[in-house]
Structures are given as C-alpha cells and as structure tokens.
Amino acid sequence: MTPEGCIDGTLVIELADGWSAGSVTGRLLSELGARVVKLEPSDGDRLRHIGPQTTEDSSATFNILNCNKESLALDLRSERGRRTLADLTSQADILITDRTTTEDRAADLDLDVFGTSNSRLIHCHFSPFGRSGPLAEHSGGDFIAQAMGGVIATTGHPGELPHKAGPPLAVHNAALMGGASILAALFERVESGEGTTIDMALYDSIVSLLYTFIPGYFLSGKAPGPQGNQHPMAAPWDNYPTQDGWIIICMADDRQWRNFLDLIGRNDLAEDPRYMTNDERVTDDIRPEVNQLVIDFLADKSTEEALEVLTQGQVPAGPIYSLAELLEDPQFLARDMVRMFEDDKGHPFRTPGSIFKMSETPGRVYRRAPTLDEHVEIDL
Amino acid sequence: MSAPLAGVRVLELGAYTTGPLAARYLSNLGAEIVKVEPLKGESVRHFAYKVDGVSYIFHVHNVNKRGVAIDSSGDRGRNLIYELVRKSDVLIENFAYGRMQSWGLGYDDLKLLNPGLIYCSLSGFGHNGPYREMRAFDTVIQGMAGVMSLTGTADFPPTKIGVSSADNVGAATGAMAITAALNYKRRTGKGQHINISMHDVQGWLSSAAWPWLDTPEGAGRDGNHHPAVAPQNLYETRDGLLAVEVETQTHLDAVTDLLGLARCELAQSKSRESEFDTAFTAWAAERTTGDAENDCRANGIPAGRVQGMGEIAENAHTWARDMLLELEHPTSGPLKLLGSPFKSTRSPGVVKSTAPDIGQHTRDVLSELLGYDKEMLDALSKSGVIGGP
C-alpha cells in the first residue's frame, strides 16, 4: 500500500524554469503528497536544453529536479495560454511563481490577479530581492544572491579571490523556507478559509545564514573575509593535513577540547588559562597554537587512523568526500538518498531521495520527470 | 490576522544551532516556543562574543521564545517534561543520536504520552544507518556530503562554505517537515517522528552537480563558474568585485550585445566561457562597482556586488526587508538581530521578543500550562528541579 502523504489531494501549479527555488519547492511539495503541475513554455523548461545527457527535449539536470511532476506546455504570451493559467489557478491550492521565469516568459503578468480570482489560493512568489525594498525589481539567481547575501565574501582562502558555495545554496535554502511558509499558510487556511501571497526573497533567505558573523560585526566591527575552513567563533576547527590527505576536525565546546587533550596525552594543558575555554582559543594569538597541536597529532597518521582515534575519543571529525564517494557512501545509501529512474527513452538517471524522513508520511520520490507536455490531457 | 502557526505549541530541547534555529523559524511563522534548558543554560550561551556574559549568538537564535529551566536528570524533572509534552504539538531536539532515549525522552517513550506529538529529531547523520553514532559539526557534514569537494578551485584544498550551511539548511528542512506534519495532524490527529539528517540535506544540495559525475570533466571545484551556462563569474572593478550571472537566453543576448560579441544559444554559451570572461574582465576593469552594476541592470543583465557582513549591514535593502532589526533587551539594551524571512500579505513574520534568561519563564509556563501553584513551584525550586527567578 502506498503510504499517505502529508498534503495528499493538494494541487500545486508551478511556473518556474531552471534550477530555481520555485522548481525546487515544487519537487519538495510533490514528495509530501501534492500533485504538482509544471507549466512549461512551448520549447520546454530551459533546463531541458543544458548540461550532460541532453537529448531532444530532456537533460539529466532537468530529470533530477523534476521527478514526480506533471508537465503542461503553455504559451503565456498568448490569450489562450493566459486563460488556461487563470483556469488552472482558479482550481489550485498553491501557485508557485519565480521572477526569472515570469520576467522571461510573461513580463507583463500581473502576479496579484490570482489571489483575487481564488481567495483560497496560496501564492508563493520567489524573487532574488523580494517584492519590496530598494532592490526589489532587480534580477538574479543563486549566484547573485550568494554574492549580495554574504556567502561569497566569506568563502574561499584568505588573501585569494572569494568563491561561491559550490551547490546552489541560496536557491535550496529559499525553497525550503518558501515551502515552510506555504505549508504554514495551508495549515492556517483550514480555519480561515483564506489564502495568502508569500513574498520569498533569495536575499532574505541567505541573509538568515549570517548568524555566525553578526556577533563579531556588531560588537567589534569585524566583517570576515574568506576564512578558509576555520570557524569565526570556534577553535580548533579546520581542514588539517594527514599523511595521505585531509581531515576535518571541529571542536566547539570545552569538553571536546579536553577529550582531545586526553587523546594526545596533554591533560596538563586542560587547566592552562591560555587554552582552557573556547573564548581564548579563538583569539588571533592562541588559535595558531591550538591548530599546531592538532597538526602535530596528525603528523604520523593516515586519515583513517586519525578518524578512528578521534571518533573513539568523541571529538567531531570527518573525511572529505568527492561527489562520487558520496553516491556510494553507506550512510547516504542506507538513508535511501540515491534513487534510480529511467527517462522515457529508457536511459537511467540518479535523483536524490526525499530529505523528509517521516515515520507516518515519508517523503516519496515515485515517478520519473515528465516529457514536455506529457500531461496535455490533464484532468483536474 | 494572526500568524499562520498561531496556537501551535513547540517544545524545544536543543543546543547550539539546528534545533534552536528550526524552532525560531516556527516562531517567525507564529508558533509558541517553550525552550527547555538545563539549569546552567544550553551550550551556546557560553560561546564567544558575549553581551553581559551571554553569547550574542544565543540572542540571535532565541528571539520569540519563553525559557524554562529544568534539571531533567532526575525523575521529578523528567516528569515535568512529560507533562509539558502532553501539552505540546511539536517537540524539536538536536542532540546526538541516543541521548534523548537515554534520558527517557525518545520518541517511543513520548508518543505513549501524546500520540499526536510531532517529534522532530535533527542530527548529523539521522537516527538510522551506519554513521548514526558519529558526532558531527557543520564542517564535518559539509566535508562528508561532497559540498566541500565542489567549493573553491582545483588549486586549493576542498573548501567549506563560509556560512554554516549544514546547520542552517538542516534547520530549514526541519521547519518545512514540521509544517507538513502539522497539516497531516490536522487531518488525522496523528503525530509522528521526523528523522532529519544534516548529511542527507547537504548531499541533496549537491544534486545539481550529479549529472557531471559521468562526464569526462567530472564534478569538481570550478570556482565561480556555472557548470553548463556562461558567463557566470566575479569580475574585478576599479573598487571591488562584481558578480554576473546569466540564467536565460534574454540575459545572454544582453551580455553579447553589451560586449559587442556575436549572439549564441544558451546551450552553447559554456563553450565560449573564456571569451566572455576575457571581455567582461576588460569591461569591468574600467568601471566602479556601482557604475558596472547600474550598467548591467540597465541592460537587463543580472549583476550585483559582492557584499560582506559590513555592506549587508549598511545596505538599506536589508533594513527595508526587516532582515536586520533592533530589539530592546530588558537589561542588555538594544540588540541588532535577524528578522523573519517569512513575509506574506496576511502576516509579515513574527519577531516580538528578545531571547529569555535562563529559566526566565519557568514559573509562568508551569503555572499556565500545568496549573502549578506557588507552593509547588517553590518546592521544586528549592529541591533544584527547576531554575529561574
């Protein structure tokens, strides 16, 4: 028997192209039981045409992101397309729109019209900077949000040009926040009977991640640049060399520090006021000294040997895995995080399992991504 | 109107970031949070950068909450938590796997007391699988989930994301799963156990790069470039760094027109990456960041400056969106804190009160929710079961 979903019977209309927050949220809501209808332009979502394994109207990237969804091609510049959109949203519970998509496909689309025709509609609009404030109308996607939202400035190595987070962090984070906001509105609607319009900005979602930098900045005016792999408020915390590679070691509290001193046979330092608390260890003077203790400890060990000792001693530590290693990682596999499907031509592709592991209503990934306009005969 | 989760009560037994942050997000959506701490306070209170002896980051994470201090190591304290569980819709915990069970507070214990309880565990690797016992902090997770292998350039070792991605995105996942479970509970009356793994979530973040695993170039660290579309990069201006990002054919046409280059299809743009980078580098070098930003935007090219914490704090947009705001703490004075990212026409997001002192609301909460009178509270206080004024 198919397990129930949290929001079975909920109809979502998704107007979002590319690897965008709107498209990620559509996928997440589908995992929770919603029926998600993706509206694509007549030549398909732009993601269908880029990246590896691109065929006539499909790519690996598109397939990964759009499992579970139904596809309907719609020209929003035409009268007929707009009428269909209005019909669909009049019956929908949730409408997802995304600025890049509306800007490209229907610049004059009036986003506020949907709520007036369907007062129960929950409409979530994703945009780089939100619908209010001085930057409201500017364009951008994940990269611009990372640049203006403080991720890039702090990522990379000291003295070098900074870098973005490799994965689309701003898009995924905004997608989750938009999802939470939509589901809260759906919960509330049961009582009020009324929908709402949600204004979810990638900028807001990414600024929400700056909590580790706020204390230093507002107390002493310190704004960190690229910080390598260290933590602004904890030490020792870094990516350290071993005999055969790297190991990450993170100590945030004093108990873990004492566990480490115990491991290296330096319990004499446990009461040394220079190192005793994290407050001292993070200072510019002391941080290099505690880092050196870790480096010395690792000098004669392989990553595997060091990991075993540190794990036994309850000091948080881990290896660095490539993507290939992740996809074969026993933990990731045990959590059912790698799923295989075949596209409509029979080519296999991998897609992530659901991040929603729930005892009664586990998130479900159950169907390959649709071909363009596959659900043209759609019956709502 | 009231906020969407008004009337939902959340019990938070958390420390550091992920649990407290998930609870704060729910509070921004209107839920009532009762934060349970040990008598000496949760660990993050002692973290670096303090205001009057309390870590500033504690203030950032714990707005909107009422604080209750309980020593749950003994039967009396544990029973108090059981009673609070009976009165709650949601419990959030982010302890290492096994810790809650060892205290008699695991899901299997608590669901007997309250079958409608939504019990959300946020942990490094989840509550099943071979790594579930491993201790983890943010950077360990980023390393093991492939995120670091995708961040930075091949010239440098794998690099973590500067912000705490594993902690924060894990918390946002918890918040979304809980709001989903609330919908299910409203329909069926049933609670459940939510078992979120920060490692799953970071691995999921990397899925945009999975298609490149089977290609000759592979999936690795390529700085600021996009794996399939160009241009996307940082360009040095006369006084700073400009980020340019092409997402659509319209953006690409605007770039080629601006730089005086031949147009091409978006799908072919990556093969001309170095040509675009060279032309944009020369273009940006002659301009200030402000001028370059304006020129790009006027031409329909998505662009923006690289902002650090200082520029973000000075940018009027941040304050106009209420993403930074100031709240008056009763004893520590005004504090700059993070606002709510959840904005809708019917609720602007709730940010109403500063973080509690240890046990600040113990008596209020126990009398309001459990009907304890002064005599009972005095006795519990005297025997060291509860803390606070």
Side-chain angles (χ1 to χ4, degrees), chain A residues 326-338, chain B residues 199-200:
Chain A
L326 172 73
L327 295 193
E328 288 170 8
D329 181 76
Q331 180 69 18
F332 208 52
L333 296 177
R335 299 271 300 176
D336 199 23
M337 284 307 295
V338 183
Chain B
H199 182 253
D200 284 356

Side-chain angles (χ1 to χ4, degrees), chain B residues 35-285:
Chain B
K35 182 182 178 79
V36 180
E37 294 182 77
L39 301 191
K40 64 179 193 340
E42 67 123 307
S43 314
V44 102
R45 284 187 182 270
H46 313 293
F47 230 50
Y49 291 115
K50 294 186 171 109
V51 183
D52 297 338
V54 176
S55 175
Y56 196 145
I57 207 163
F58 182 85
H59 289 289
V60 177
H61 286 345
N62 293 289
V63 296
N64 294 346
K65 301 178 186 178
R66 291 198 288 177
V68 171
I70 299 177
D71 173 12
S72 58
S73 61
D75 287 348
R76 289 173 75 189
R78 188 162 47 242
N79 284 334
L80 267 185
I81 293 180
Y82 288 158
E83 289 193 55
L84 290 172
V85 164
R86 287 183 213 271
K87 301 284 183 184
S88 301
D89 302 290
V90 177
L91 181 147
I92 296 176
E93 64 93 7
N94 68 318
F95 292 101
Y97 170 73
R99 200 74 67 80
M100 287 290 277
Q101 291 93 317
S102 74
W103 295 327
L105 299 173
Y107 177 63
D108 290 338
D109 303 306
L110 301 189
K111 75 176 177 193
L112 301 173
L113 305 173
N114 178 357
L117 183 70
I118 295 164
Y119 184 116
C120 181
S121 298
L122 299 154
S123 61
F125 296 96
H127 282 203
N128 58 306
Y131 303 167
R132 68 180 180 183
E133 310 274 355
M134 270 184 75
R135 299 292 185 269
F137 275 119
D138 181 83
T139 308
V140 171
I141 300 291
Q142 288 196 36
M144 292 182 69
V147 166
M148 289 177 66
S149 77
L150 297 170
T151 302
T153 61
D155 308 339
F156 283 90
T159 307
K160 75 160 177 141
I161 302 172
V163 297
S164 299
S165 170
D167 288 343
N168 185 82
V169 190
T173 305
M176 184 169 176
I178 290 166
T179 50
L182 282 167
N183 279 279
Y184 183 70
K185 179 181 173 172
R186 180 160 259 176
R187 205 170 74 229
T188 63
K190 287 187 200 163
Q192 58 182 315
H193 184 214
I194 302 172
N195 166 10
I196 302 292
S197 149
M198 290 151 71
H199 182 253
D200 284 356
V201 174
Q202 292 298 293
W204 164 76
L205 269 190
S206 76
S207 59
W210 291 11
W212 277 268
L213 267 171
D214 307 319
T215 63
E217 61 268 33
R221 297 190 290 291
D222 191 18
N224 290 304
H225 285 140
H226 187 280
V229 172
Q232 175 182 292
N233 214 342
L234 299 181
Y235 302 104
E236 289 185 77
T237 63
R238 274 163 42 190
D239 58 354
L241 280 175
L242 181 77
V244 174
E245 178 181 26
V246 162
E247 286 198 289
T248 67
Q249 185 68 47
T250 316
H251 299 154
L252 179 62
D253 292 345
V255 167
T256 44
D257 290 358
L258 177 79
L259 300 175
L261 304 172
R263 284 191 175 194
C264 72
E265 293 294 310
L266 191 68
Q268 270 69 58
S269 61
K270 181 75 180 174
S271 65
R272 293 176 63 193
E273 188 166 73
S274 58
E275 181 192 352
F276 293 145
D277 278 347
T278 304
F280 236 123
T281 301
W283 184 89

Side-chain angles (χ1 to χ4, degrees), chain A residues 17 20 54 79 85 95 98 104 129-130 165 173 188-189 195 201 206 215 243 246 270 278 293 295 308-309 315 318 338:
Chain A
D17 285 344
S20 62
T54 301
E79 184 60 28
L85 175 62
L95 170 67
D98 195 282
D104 210 38
F129 300 102
N173 197 48
E188 193 270 347
R189 194 185 72 170
I206 210 87
Q243 278 199 327
W246 300 95
N278 186 59
L293 287 170
I295 291 165
E308 197 180 321
V309 177
V315 177
V338 183

Side-chain angles (χ1 to χ4, degrees), chain A residues 186-260:
Chain A
L186 195 65
F187 176 78
E188 193 270 347
R189 194 185 72 170
V190 177
E191 287 202 342
S192 71
E194 284 183 53
T196 190
T197 301
I198 297 160
D199 173 18
M200 179 54 64
L202 269 61
Y203 185 77
D204 294 351
S205 102
I206 210 87
V207 166
S208 300
L209 275 69
L210 298 179
Y211 46 81
T212 39
F213 307 123
I214 284 178
Y217 182 73
F218 286 114
L219 290 182
S220 53
K222 277 196 212 162
Q227 45 179 326
N229 290 311
Q230 306 209 32
H231 189 294
M233 290 189 295
W237 182 303
D238 208 340
N239 178 25
Y240 299 92
T242 61
Q243 278 199 327
D244 60 347
W246 300 95
I247 188 168
I248 297 162
I249 299 176
C250 303
M251 297 177 220
D253 71 34
D254 301 334
R255 195 187 55 220
Q256 291 159 347
W257 169 245
R258 290 192 298 271
N259 290 348
F260 174 71

